[in-house]
Amino acid sequence: MKRIVISAALAGIAAGCAGPAAHQDATATAVLEPRSGSNVRGTVTFTQAGADIVRVSGELSGHTKGPKGFHIHEKGDCSDAQAMSAGGHFNPGGHKHGGPYEPQRHAGDLGNINFNDQGVAKFNFVVGGISVSSKADGVIGRSVVVHAAADDLKTDPTGNSGGRVACGVIR
Ligand code: CU
Ligand code: ZN
């Protein structure tokens, strides 16, 4: 009986980590706090869902209704009152700004998230071009920014989405 229990425990460890090359279950989280005088706050979680697929999920509140620009920015520094310290869009490939599912995009271009009548946005989607790691395409140590207005998914390099109303470092 004791031997069976030990085997089950070892199987659990093996299933929990597929080895250093895979990291299929790596996760990272950003806790976003208000910037630029807003009340926007919440949590965003990144989960590695495949070799080049990351699931982005979470909930934000305190914004006005409608689609709002949502990006990973280059620097993990939200200290500035307008979050300008977060730098530009995370762009390890040296591309132009675009939408999350367009071939030409910054890796950090996550498009828009939609806030409802109550000013709440719940989201859960997958994107490519990033990883939950500290590698060149990795999001750990960078930041998530929510903007005042919608991202037009084309204006380079910002998407013309206005001020930075919430920011959180990805850890
Ligand atoms: Cu942004
Ligand atoms: Zn961009």
Side-chain angles (χ1 to χ4, degrees):
M1 201 56 172
K2 188 170 284 181
R3 187 169 295 169
I4 290 167
V5 170
I6 292 167
S7 299
L10 288 172
I13 292 165
C17 182
H23 291 298
Q24 295 291 304
D25 53 358
T27 66
T29 300
V31 177
L32 278 70
E33 296 177 343
R35 290 291 182 272
S36 306
S38 88
N39 290 307
V40 182
R41 62 177 72 246
T43 302
V44 180
T45 299
F46 297 87
T47 306
Q48 193 75 45
D52 186 41
I53 302 171
V54 169
R55 181 167 295 282
V56 183
S57 62
E59 182 170 342
L60 294 154
S61 65
H63 212 330
T64 52
K65 185 183 178 179
K68 310 295 178 185
F70 186 57
H71 314 126
I72 299 164
H73 283 237
E74 182 184 13
K75 296 175 185 166
D77 181 357
C78 295
S79 60
D80 181 69
Q82 275 78 42
M84 295 310 292
S85 50
H89 296 182
F90 178 42
N91 185 23
H95 296 128
K96 291 192 170 179
H97 182 73
Y101 305 114
E102 287 163 35
Q104 183 72 221
R105 60 179 279 249
H106 302 138
D109 291 344
L110 303 181
N112 289 291
I113 50 171
N114 212 31
F115 287 80
N116 67 16
D117 288 334
Q118 282 72 46
V120 174
K122 295 178 185 175
F123 47 91
N124 188 336
F125 58 92
V126 295
V127 289
I130 55 174
S131 68
V132 182
S133 75
S134 301
K135 292 185 280 191
D137 68 348
V139 300
I140 293 171
R142 308 199 180 276
S143 61
V144 180
V145 171
V146 179
H147 288 265
D151 185 326
D152 67 12
L153 310 182
K154 58 178 188 239
T155 302
D156 189 59
T158 63
N160 197 27
S161 53
R164 304 175 179 194
V165 297
C167 185
V169 178
I170 305 168
R171 303 174 199 279

